[in-house]
Amino acid sequence: HGLDHSVVAEERDQADAEFKQAEDWEKRAVLAVQEGRDDLAKQALMRHGQHLEHGRQLEATWQSHRDETEKLKN
């Protein structure tokens, strides 16, 4: 049984969305530092790290599924 192409594409999109979120939190952290709000900066960096980590996990899943799909095509 193969993985549907749309499922693999969806995983890719989810990973991208996580990385986008991580980027947003990183920008917020920089702004917080500029405003001298270290507490907010720390929180934002924590969220940034969580999204980055989640994005990497999703990307790894996506890559393994993509590889499986490629093998089935051959």
Side-chain angles (χ1 to χ4, degrees):
H1 79 146
L3 276 162
D4 190 343
H5 180 74
S6 63
V7 172
V8 177
E10 201 175 287
E11 286 171 343
R12 174 75 260 183
D13 291 344
Q14 285 176 331
D16 286 342
E18 287 295 323
F19 288 132
K20 181 98 190 61
Q21 287 277 327
E23 225 172 85
D24 289 347
W25 282 108
E26 195 174 21
K27 285 177 191 153
R28 290 183 206 184
V30 171
L31 288 173
V33 169
Q34 288 169 351
E35 291 169 11
R37 295 291 308 273
D38 285 350
D39 54 336
L40 285 180
K42 275 190 196 126
Q43 240 173 6
L45 282 174
M46 209 176 74
R47 296 293 294 272
H48 165 256
Q50 288 169 343
H51 284 292
L52 204 57
E53 178 62 28
H54 197 215
R56 285 190 184 132
Q57 285 169 357
L58 286 166
E59 197 172 49
T61 304
W62 165 73
Q63 281 173 336
S64 71
H65 286 168
R66 188 195 54 180
D67 293 346
E68 279 172 36
T69 308
E70 285 304 310
K71 274 188 210 126
L72 290 167
K73 280 184 200 163
N74 297 339

